[in-house]
Amino acid sequence: MADDRRQPLQSASARGGRQSGHEPDKRGLNTKIHLAVDAHGLPLRVVITQGTAADCTQAGRLIAGLTAEHLIADKGYDSQAIVEQAGSQGRTVVIPPRKNRTAPRS
């Protein structure tokens, strides 16, 4: 039984985009969830942003006012500002460097 409520996807030429793909364009309609968690993985702070926002722009909001010995994050949070903020708060930074980082850190 066909579902009459479904709208057909626009053709590639109507979208003005890819000719061979069958997926519609996302148009940036997505979100990111940034979490600060404790040592047990329990959330302490949540920030939700647009999917196009860079991860490193939210780190200051996530770690401000939290007490911890270490800051563990992925490459998306590797910036000198984050390292300096965490260092000023007495945290050891454990973030793998981005491949395009010009000044290596220890």
Side-chain angles (χ1 to χ4, degrees), residues 2-82:
D3 187 359
D4 295 334
R5 295 175 292 175
R6 284 196 58 192
Q7 298 280 330
L9 294 175
Q10 291 180 336
S11 67
S13 60
R15 286 194 317 257
R18 299 168 295 212
Q19 295 293 326
S20 62
H22 295 291
E23 298 178 22
D25 291 333
K26 284 181 143 182
R27 300 179 312 246
L29 302 176
N30 54 6
T31 57
K32 284 185 182 177
I33 300 173
H34 307 269
L35 287 173
V37 298
D38 66 6
H40 302 288
L42 298 174
L44 299 174
R45 189 167 290 155
V46 178
V47 177
I48 299 174
T49 62
Q50 294 179 352
T52 56
D55 292 342
C56 62
T57 62
Q58 302 305 314
R61 292 173 57 191
L62 285 172
I63 65 174
L66 297 179
T67 57
E69 293 179 24
H70 301 284
L71 171 64
I72 302 172
D74 66 6
K75 290 181 182 185
Y77 294 94
D78 180 32
S79 76
Q80 194 59 37
I82 295 167

